[in-house]
């Protein structure tokens, strides 16, 4: 939910003078953490779009170029290169969906293309991956290679203008520690961006856990791990308050509460596009509030916050430490939103924290 402050009196972020450069700078670390090459990102954002409205098309062109690279590599029998190119395509296509595009139908098409590209990538890079879909969710189950016993599993929940293609670094870090990972899109996210976000997202995660519980190749007897990022951090905390099968939970840059009138224009506009109307967006934001709920979280809880992540209208999830008895807060002073500029300072230790608590 990367955002910027609103200074001029305008009705849309597309009217803010110089907002493209501001948006590109504000999302640079996020895109790099997603897996985009920094130099290529800089070239595309400086030489590609002239306005924020042109961002989706510029990023889509790069993604489609990588699809063609993947197809050429596949035709020559270079399977690893093909998989890597398709994965890069998926990442660029996902990043094309960052702005609240005026034509939401275009966002839907591109998000589906990112999902399809990642499906092709997994065919070469991780052929044992399993697609799992249910009411309100679709995602990929990945398991550590050569696990002697069914592994414990961590569920990864993305945020507002996010999706499962964004957090491969998180997935890979967990896999290297012997944990299975289910990274998914829920309502209003990724391949399901044609549906509206839901403030009762915990019900979706419960259905995810139902699906994982039914698998003999996973060990869910002691519960599952759950990590949520950005708005997904709120979703993770909300789920932990309602779902006893959450054995340990991590919230990264998540909100404790949203205050609609104070939110930056970018966040309000993104919510409006994703929910379908200003009224629906405001109603959704009103329900993003852990007051009276957080004290029900009994599972071990870590909140990861960046000291530079300050967004008007967002009370950070670190506030949950006042309510939840098992909560601990990891604050990285120089971290930005999602701590994309400080991944080494939180990701390895947090994955170890989850591994220790899942046993």
């Amino acid at each position: 939910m990367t955002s910027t402050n609103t200074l001029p009196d305008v009705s849309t972020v597309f009217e803010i003078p110089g907002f493209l450069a501001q948006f590109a700078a504000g999302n640079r670390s996020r895109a790099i953490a997603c897996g985009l090459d920094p130099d290529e990102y800089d070239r595309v954002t400086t030489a590609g779009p002239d306005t924020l409205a042109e961002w989706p098309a510029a990023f889509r062109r790069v993604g489609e170029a990588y699809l063609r690279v993947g197809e050429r590599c596949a035709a020559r029998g270079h399977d690893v290169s093909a998989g890597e190119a398709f994965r890069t395509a998926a990442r660029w296509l996902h990043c094309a969906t960052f702005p609240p595009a005026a034509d939401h139908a275009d966002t839907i098409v591109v998000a589906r293309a990112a999902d399809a590209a990642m499906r092709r990538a997994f065919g070469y890079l991780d052929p044992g991956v399993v697609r799992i879909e249910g009411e309100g969710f679709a995602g990929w189950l990945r398991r550590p290679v050569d696990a002697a016993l069914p592994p414990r599993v961590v569920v990864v929940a993305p945020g507002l203008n996010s999706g499962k293609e964004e957090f491969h670094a998180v997935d890979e870090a967990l896999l290297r520690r012997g944990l299975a990972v289910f990274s998914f899109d829920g309502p209003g996210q990724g391949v399901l961006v044609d549906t509206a976000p839901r403030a009762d997202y915990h019900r979706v995660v419960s259905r995810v856990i139902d699906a994982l519980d039914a698998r003999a190749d996973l060990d869910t007897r002691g519960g599952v791990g759950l990590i949520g990022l950005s708005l997904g951090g709120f979703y993770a905390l909300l789920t932990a308050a309602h779902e006893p099968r959450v054995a340990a939970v991590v919230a990264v840059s998540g909100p404790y509460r949203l205050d609609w009138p104070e939110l930056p224009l970018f966040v309000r506009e993104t919510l409006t596009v994703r929910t379908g109307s200003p009224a629906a967006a405001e109603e959704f934001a009103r329900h993003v509030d852990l007051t009276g709920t957080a004290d029900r979280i009994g599972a071990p809880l870590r909140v990861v916050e960046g000291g530079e992540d300050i967004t008007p209208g967002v009370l950070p999830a670190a506030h949950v430490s006042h309510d939840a008895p098992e909560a601990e807060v990891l604050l990285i002073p120089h971290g930005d939103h999602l701590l994309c500029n400080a991944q080494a300072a939180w990701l390895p230790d947090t994955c170890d924290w989850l591994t220790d608590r899942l046993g």
Side-chain angles (χ1 to χ4, degrees), residues 10 18 38 69 96 103-104 125 137 174 239 262 271-272 311-312 348 357:
V10 296
V69 171
D103 187 352
H104 192 53
L125 303 178
F137 71 90
L174 293 166
T239 301
E262 301 301 319
L271 276 170
T272 297
T311 303
R357 278 146 189 83

Side-chain angles (χ1 to χ4, degrees), residues 21-66:
Q22 187 181 359
F23 187 80
N27 282 277
R28 186 176 188 273
S29 65
R30 178 184 176 187
I32 293 169
C34 179
L36 270 57
D37 177 85
D39 293 323
E40 188 169 23
Y41 177 86
D42 291 342
R43 288 196 300 272
V44 171
T45 55
T46 56
D50 293 321
T51 67
L52 185 62
E54 297 172 5
W55 175 291
F59 276 64
R60 183 178 182 177
R61 283 194 295 272
V62 179
E64 290 173 344
Y66 275 106

Side-chain angles (χ1 to χ4, degrees), residues 125-138:
L125 303 178
D126 190 355
V129 70
V130 178
R131 178 72 162 208
I132 303 177
E133 300 183 2
E135 182 184 348
F137 71 90

Side-chain angles (χ1 to χ4, degrees), residues 226-230 232-234 236-238 240 248-257 290 294 297 299-307 309 314-333 338-339 345-347 349-350 353-354 357:
L226 177 59
I227 179 168
L229 302 107
S230 192
F234 166 79
L237 295 172
L238 183 69
V249 59
V250 175
V252 181
S253 294
Y256 182 95
R257 186 179 68 239
L290 290 168
I297 300 174
L301 162 62
R302 170 176 279 196
V303 176
V304 184
E305 296 283 354
D309 181 19
V314 177
L315 180 64
H319 190 77
V320 79
S321 63
H322 299 297
D323 307 313
E326 298 290 335
E328 63 176 75
V329 177
L330 175 62
L331 175 66
I332 308 300
L338 291 171
L339 298 98
W346 72 271
L347 182 57
D349 184 68
T350 298
W353 182 93
L354 271 170
R357 278 146 189 83

Side-chain angles (χ1 to χ4, degrees), residues 30 34 36 55 59-60 63 88-99 107 110-111 113-115 158 160-167 185 189-191 274:
R30 178 184 176 187
C34 179
L36 270 57
W55 175 291
F59 276 64
R60 183 178 182 177
T88 301
R91 293 168 175 173
W92 277 95
L93 291 167
H94 168 65
C95 292
T97 68
F98 283 1
T107 300
V110 176
D115 179 70
L160 176 58
N161 60 342
S162 187
K164 61 190 181 304
E165 286 75 34
E166 185 162 342
F167 300 114
D185 297 325
Q189 299 168 325
V191 73
R274 298 275 170 130

